[in-house]
C-alpha cells in the first residue's frame, strides 16, 4: 500500500447511482518523482456520470470522480525537474502507466500494453491503493502525468481540455483534419463543442450535427460553418456522402448507420462517445464506399501538452457553467439530459 498522509476533502458516490456526498480521502506525501497539486477547478465529464451509475459495469465505490483537473503546484519531490511550486498545471484521465512498453515509449501511454492507471475508479500499480479523482482539494501525481497550462488560458476554462480537449484533438490529428477536409462533429456536449473549436482552428470545414436546432447559434459561434439537426430528415438526405471525417461523441445509443451514410468514399467515423449499449452497424453502411469505423481514447501525455499549447496559441478554452460542489447532483441530472452549455466545471474553492 502506498503511504498516505495528507487529509483531503472530497465528494464521493458510495454506490451505483447514488448521490455524491462529502467524503475524506488521504493523498500521499510527494515521493521523489511526484507533484502535489492544489486543485482549483475540475470539469464534469459524461464518463463521470457513466461510472457513478456503473453503466460500463466496472465501477468500484466509494468513487471520487473527476479527470479534468486544473490547479497549482504546491510541492514537488526531490527528483522533479519539470515543475516547481506555483506552476499552473493539469491532470487528465490517467495518473500512471508501465512507462516501459512500446506504447509508453512512443508517448502513447493511453494504449499502455500493461495498463494505464486511471485517475479514479482504478487501482495504483501497487495493486492495492484505489485512485480518487479531481472532485477533491488536492492530488499527488507522478510528474510524467502532469502537464503545463499556458498562461493565456484561464484555469476554469482550461480544465475541460484535460479530457474533452485531448479526446477530440487526438483523433482530429491522427485522421488529419485540416484545410480542404470536411469534418463533422456529432453531439454538441463537452467533447463535441471542443471538437468543433479544435477542428475549425486546424483549418477544416466543420459541420456540427445535433439532434435539434437549439444549439445552432452557439455552434456557428464556435466555428462551425454548417449545422445539421438530425430531427430534419431532409437535412440528413442532403448531407449524404459529404464528410471525410466524423467525430462521434454521442453518449447513449443512436443509429450509427445514419451517420455512416454521411461519409464520403474512404471516409472515417471515429467513435469517442462510449454509450453502455452495443451499437449495431449494417455491413452495407461500410462496404460500398470503403468506409471505416474507428475508435480512439484520450491522448498521450506528449500530445496532451501539444494540445494545450495549441489551445494557448489559439486562445481556445471550453464554454463552461461554473458550479459550487453542493450543486453537483443537480449538474449530473442536467448532464444526463444534455442540458449543459457546454461543460460543468466545479469551483473547488467551494469544497474547502
Ligand atoms: P455530453 O456533454 O453529455 O455530450 C454528449 C452529447 O451527445 C449530447 O450533448 C448530445 O448532443 C449527444 N447525445 C446524447 N444522447 C444522444 C442520442 N441518443 N442520440 C444522439 N445524440 C445524443 O458528454 P461528453 O462529456 O461530451 O461525453 C460524450 C461521450 O464521450 C460519453 O459517452 C463519454 O463517456 C465519452 N468519452 C469518451 C472518451 C474517450 O476517451 N473515448 C473520453 C471522454 C468521454 P446534442 O444535444 O447536440 O444532440
Ligand atoms: Zn472524460
Amino acid at each position: 500500500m502506498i503511504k498516505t498522509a495528507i487529509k483531503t476533502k472530497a465528494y464521493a458516490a458510495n454506490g451505483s447511482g447514488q448521490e455524491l456526498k462529502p467524503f475524506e480521502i488521504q493523498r500521499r506525501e510527494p515521493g521523489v518523482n511526484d507533484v502535489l497539486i492544489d486543485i482549483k477547478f475540475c470539469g464534469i465529464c459524461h464518463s463521470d456520470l457513466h461510472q457513478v451509475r456503473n453503466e460500463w459495469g466496472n465501477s468500484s465505490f466509494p468513487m471520487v470522480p473527476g479527470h479534468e483537473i486544473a490547479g497549482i503546484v504546491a510541492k514537488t519531490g526531490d527528483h522533479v525537474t519539470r515543475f516547481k511550486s506555483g506552476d499552473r498545471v493539469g491532470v487528465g484521465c490517467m495518473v500512471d502507466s508501465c512507462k516501459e512498453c512500446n506504447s509508453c515509449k512512443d508517448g502513447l501511454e493511453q494504449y499502455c500494453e500493461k495498463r494505464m492507471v486511471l485517475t479514479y475508479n482504478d487501482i495504483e500499480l501497487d495493486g492495492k491503493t484505489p485512485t480518487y479523482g479531481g472532485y477533491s482539494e488536492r492530488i499527488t501525481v507522478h510528474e510524467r502525468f502532469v502537464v503545463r497550462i499556458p498562461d493565456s488560458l484561464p484555469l476554469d476554462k482550461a480544465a475541460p481540455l484535460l479530457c474533452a480537449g485531448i479526446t477530440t484533438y487526438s483523433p482530429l490529428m491522427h485522421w488529419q483534419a485540416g484545410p480542404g477536409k470536411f469534418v463533422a462533429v456529432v453531439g454538441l456536449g463537452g467533447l463535441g463543442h471542443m471538437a468543433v473549436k479544435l477542428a475549425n482552428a486546424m483549418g477544416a470545414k466543420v459541420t456540427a450535427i445535433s439532434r435539434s436546432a437549439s444549439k445552432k447559434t452557439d455552434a456557428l459561434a464556435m466555428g462551425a460553418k454548417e449545422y445539421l439537426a438530425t430531427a430534419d430528415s431532409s437535412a440528413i438526405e442532403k448531407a449524404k456522402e459529404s464528410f471525410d471525417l466524423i467525430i462521434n461523441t454521442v453518449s447513449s445509443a443512436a443509429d450509427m448507420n445514419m451517420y455512416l451514410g454521411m461519409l464520403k468514399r474512404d471516409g472515417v467515423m471515429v467513435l469517442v462517445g462510449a454509450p453502455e449499449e452495443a451499437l449495431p452497424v449494417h455491413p452495407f453502411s461500410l462496404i460500398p464506399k470503403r468506409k471505416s469505423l474507428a475508435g480512439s481514447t484520450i491522448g498521450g501525455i506528449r500530445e496532451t501538452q501539444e494540445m494545450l499549447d495549441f489551445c494557448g496559441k489559439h486562445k481556445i478554452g471550453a464554454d463552461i457553467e461554473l458550479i459550487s460542489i453542493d450543486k453537483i447532483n443537480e449538474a449530473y441530472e442536467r448532464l444526463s439530459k444534455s442540458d449543459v452549455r457546454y461543460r460543468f466545471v466545479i469551483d473547488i474553492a467551494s469544497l474547502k
Side-chain angles (χ1 to χ4, degrees), residues 60-248:
S60 60
F61 298 96
M63 183 191 296
V64 177
H67 59 207
E68 292 187 337
I69 297 170
I72 305 285
V73 174
K75 208 171 166 186
T76 54
D78 290 346
H79 295 175
V80 171
T81 52
R82 292 169 48 235
F83 301 100
K84 59 178 188 325
S85 74
D87 284 356
R88 305 164 87 248
V89 293
V91 176
C93 299
M94 50 184 175
V95 288
D96 213 346
S97 70
C98 87
K99 304 184 276 296
E100 286 163 1
C101 71
N102 287 333
S103 294
C104 287
K105 282 189 188 140
D106 287 345
L108 297 168
E109 300 88 348
Q110 78 276 31
Y111 302 119
C112 176
E113 285 146 37
K114 293 189 179 137
R115 70 175 177 102
M116 65 168 151
V117 177
L118 296 170
T119 304
Y120 70 89
N121 192 27
D122 207 350
I123 301 287
E124 297 277 7
L125 291 179
D126 67 357
K128 295 176 200 153
T129 310
T131 59
Y132 294 120
Y135 302 3
S136 59
E137 292 174 288
R138 60 182 73 82
I139 189 166
T140 310
V141 182
H142 190 291
E143 72 164 327
R144 177 168 173 158
F145 292 86
V146 179
V147 285
R148 194 173 291 283
I149 296 178
D151 288 338
S152 58
L153 298 178
L155 286 183
D156 53 356
K157 293 184 170 60
L161 301 177
L162 276 303
C163 175
I166 185 59
T167 301
T168 51
Y169 180 89
S170 186
L172 285 168
M173 292 299 285
H174 186 78
W175 279 280
Q176 296 164 342
K181 289 283 177 74
F182 290 82
V183 174
V185 175
V186 182
L188 282 183
L191 267 60
H193 95 291
M194 287 312 312
V196 170
K197 291 182 184 208
L198 291 166
N200 177 56
M202 289 171 189
K205 187 168 178 234
V206 184
T207 299
I209 303 181
S210 187
R211 287 166 294 180
S212 76
S214 67
K215 298 175 180 172
K216 181 169 180 179
T217 311
D218 291 348
L220 298 182
M222 288 166 201
K225 297 290 179 292
E226 305 280 345
Y227 186 93
L228 192 164
T230 53
D232 173 3
S233 53
S234 67
I236 299 171
E237 188 54 33
K238 226 174 103 194
K240 219 172 146 207
E241 290 171 22
S242 55
F243 303 121
D244 300 292
L245 176 64
I246 299 177
I247 304 292
N248 194 318

Side-chain angles (χ1 to χ4, degrees), residues 46-47 50 188 190-191 210-211 215 252 272 274 296-298 343:
H46 205 112
S47 302
H50 287 307
L188 282 183
L191 267 60
S210 187
R211 287 166 294 180
K215 298 175 180 172
S252 62
V272 288
S296 180
T297 194
I298 51 173
R343 194 57 133 190

